[in-house]
Amino acid sequence: MRDPSEIFPEYFLIRVNEFNDYARTPLEEWMDYLKNGIINDDTKTPGLSEAKEKLQYLMMTDSERIAYERHIDTIRIQSDVLGNAKAEGLEEGRAEGWAEGRAEGLEKGRAEGIAEGELQKQREIARNLKKLGIDTAIIAQSTGLSVDEINNLSFS
């Protein structure tokens, strides 16, 4: 068997006229609104700011409401346009950055490859000259390699 409190709702009676004119708690601010129809601009009570906005909207004349709705639509459209422009700009910037980065990377890779190839060629020439018995100082002068580097070359 169920408890009566599970079946029957609980009711609270709040006597609005007995509240002070100065609201201290959120409940008192709501009671002040219900009693006097006034919502303070600086209210921090949950829901009262939204209620105030809704009341202002409902108290508008038909022509004011139409003008307000047009204004809100204009703001939404502008926001969408700006959002789309930002997204397109980011996408375009990323594509340009990727293309520039790729081109720059290729250029840098080519330069590094050429430099590495030249160094390998200098070492190969130095090895060949060393095999022929040419003086290390002359090999260094001819290839641009250091004497230590030439002495460390292996003959593989």
Side-chain angles (χ1 to χ4, degrees):
M1 180 158 194
R2 292 174 42 178
D3 189 355
S5 65
E6 294 174 4
I7 299 171
F8 298 104
E10 236 178 297
Y11 293 98
F12 294 93
L13 296 177
I14 300 173
R15 298 183 62 169
V16 176
N17 292 340
E18 293 180 9
F19 273 84
N20 296 337
D21 289 335
Y22 177 74
R24 290 178 208 84
T25 66
L27 179 61
E28 288 175 338
E29 281 194 61
W30 272 101
M31 291 299 107
D32 186 43
Y33 161 64
L34 294 172
K35 180 179 174 183
N36 302 316
I38 298 170
I39 300 174
N40 294 328
D41 290 334
D42 62 345
T43 185
K44 303 235 184 305
T45 299
L48 270 183
S49 296
E50 293 84 357
K52 184 174 186 171
E53 288 177 19
K54 189 67 172 177
L55 283 172
Q56 288 174 337
Y57 177 79
L58 293 173
M59 290 174 31
M60 291 179 185
T61 65
D62 288 341
S63 62
E64 288 174 333
R65 196 173 300 125
I66 290 169
Y68 175 75
E69 288 171 0
R70 282 188 192 144
H71 174 71
I72 295 299
D73 287 342
T74 302
I75 290 172
R76 284 186 187 131
I77 290 168
Q78 288 174 351
S79 177
D80 287 346
V81 168
L82 291 173
N84 289 340
K86 181 180 177 183
E88 288 173 9
L90 283 172
E91 185 177 324
E92 191 176 304
R94 285 187 183 122
E96 286 178 15
W98 185 84
E100 287 175 11
R102 184 172 185 262
E104 187 178 309
L106 287 172
E107 189 177 313
K108 184 179 178 184
R110 279 191 199 107
E112 288 175 4
I114 290 170
E116 184 65 31
E118 286 177 4
L119 183 60
Q120 285 178 358
K121 188 65 175 173
Q122 289 170 331
R123 288 179 181 155
E124 185 181 329
I125 292 169
R127 267 191 217 98
N128 291 336
L129 292 173
K130 196 172 179 185
K131 283 181 191 176
L132 294 172
I134 308 284
D135 184 52
T136 307
I138 295 172
I139 296 172
Q141 190 177 4
S142 301
T143 61
L145 297 173
S146 70
V147 174
D148 288 337
E149 195 172 357
I150 292 167
N151 289 333
N152 291 331
L153 288 175
S154 62
F155 294 101
S156 44

